[in-house]
Amino acid sequence: MAQGCLKCLKITMCAANFLCFMCGVAVLGFGVYMMVTFKIAALTPTLASFNLANMLLISGIVITCVSFLGFLGALKENRCLLLTFFLILFLLMLVELTAACLLLVYEGEIANWVNEDLINGLEKAKGKTGNSTEVMSDWDLVQVQFDCCGVRNKSDWGDKVPKSCCKSECETPEPKYRDKGCLTTLKTLFEENFLTTGISVIVLCIVEVLGMCFAMTLFCHISRSGLGYKL
């Protein structure tokens, strides 16, 4: 009976981790494709290194490495690998919960920081610092997609309001500009998706807890049966 449960647990853990590994490979491949195909910049100087392609690459690497560790540990019934898998999942869950708590506690400070960083990015886009071509294209894209203009309104652009701020043709005598600033639009978008983000974090934590329970249960079964790597 115990051997049957051990075999079922082993197969379940191998299948789940193999599925996660394939998802990680897909995310990693998509991140590489985006990095090679698209020339991605950022609206803000601070977030320049944290664009979508880089985040996909990092997420893909983490998912593939962790899932491969769990798959190999379950397949080989190796206690050392299973314990390492358990500890990494535990650390990842702590990091996610800590980030969520910090986001809630320092919501005001984060909003001010985002505001200042957007202003710096807009100043760069206006050509006051460095080459503004890439950043300007990003601002144009965001302003059209989110129906906004500048950080707070069109006055942030001064005398050189880009065409992406116009609701209609800018060549008209009195062009109609977009009313809302991009900071307000992004804040509203975050608030609307706050519940979805919270549920996603909770589901992710539940999956990680299940993975830790499976790993520790398999670890204990292997220990009692006298199999696996002797710690």
Side-chain angles (χ1 to χ4, degrees):
M1 181 67 179
Q3 289 298 323
C5 291
L6 178 63
K7 186 176 181 181
C8 180
L9 191 62
K10 175 181 173 180
I11 293 173
T12 303
M13 192 169 174
C14 285
N17 278 286
F18 179 75
L19 183 62
C20 290
F21 178 81
M22 296 306 296
C23 292
V25 170
V27 171
L28 182 61
F30 187 61
V32 172
Y33 170 77
M34 286 193 67
M35 184 169 284
V36 172
T37 307
F38 301 101
K39 198 170 185 179
I40 302 173
L43 293 180
T44 67
T46 304
L47 299 180
S49 302
F50 296 94
N51 54 52
L52 182 59
N54 288 342
M55 295 304 292
L56 287 174
L57 281 175
I58 294 171
S59 301
I61 291 171
V62 171
I63 293 171
T64 51
C65 291
V66 175
S67 56
F68 179 75
L69 194 64
F71 174 81
L72 193 62
L75 184 66
K76 298 294 184 181
E77 297 182 358
N78 189 302
R79 292 192 299 166
C80 183
L81 291 177
L82 287 172
L83 187 60
T84 305
F85 175 73
F86 173 87
L87 291 174
I88 291 176
L89 279 184
F90 181 70
L91 289 174
L92 285 174
M93 189 175 67
L94 283 182
V95 170
E96 290 161 8
L97 292 176
T98 302
C101 291
L102 289 175
L103 186 63
L104 290 174
V105 173
Y106 297 102
E107 183 180 357
E109 288 79 356
I110 293 173
N112 293 332
W113 170 75
V114 171
N115 179 39
E116 293 175 3
D117 219 34
L118 280 172
I119 291 173
N120 291 334
L122 187 138
E123 293 298 323
K124 185 178 180 182
K126 288 163 66 176
K128 292 187 176 181
T129 56
N131 185 3
S132 62
T133 306
E134 292 180 0
V135 185
M136 189 63 245
S137 63
D138 270 12
W139 272 99
D140 288 333
L141 179 63
V142 169
Q143 289 178 152
V144 171
Q145 292 294 325
F146 292 99
D147 190 24
C148 60
C149 181
V151 178
R152 297 192 179 278
N153 48 54
K154 72 179 183 67
S155 63
D156 294 326
W157 289 105
D159 298 330
K160 298 180 180 179
V161 181
K163 293 182 178 180
S164 57
C165 276
C166 299
K167 284 187 176 181
S168 56
E169 292 295 328
C170 284
E171 284 75 16
T172 56
E174 294 183 0
K176 189 176 181 181
Y177 294 106
R178 306 180 194 276
D179 301 323
K180 293 185 295 183
C182 293
L183 179 63
T184 305
T185 305
L186 293 174
K187 189 181 294 185
T188 304
L189 183 66
F190 175 78
E191 291 172 353
E192 289 175 351
N193 292 277
F194 184 78
L195 181 60
T196 305
T197 305
I199 293 174
S200 301
V201 172
I202 292 172
V203 170
L204 183 59
C205 288
I206 291 173
V207 171
E208 289 171 344
V209 169
L210 288 175
M212 289 189 291
C213 291
F214 276 32
M216 189 50 62
T217 304
L218 189 58
F219 176 88
C220 293
H221 272 290
I222 293 170
S223 298
R224 282 199 294 267
S225 62
L227 301 174
Y229 179 78
K230 304 293 183 182
L231 287 175

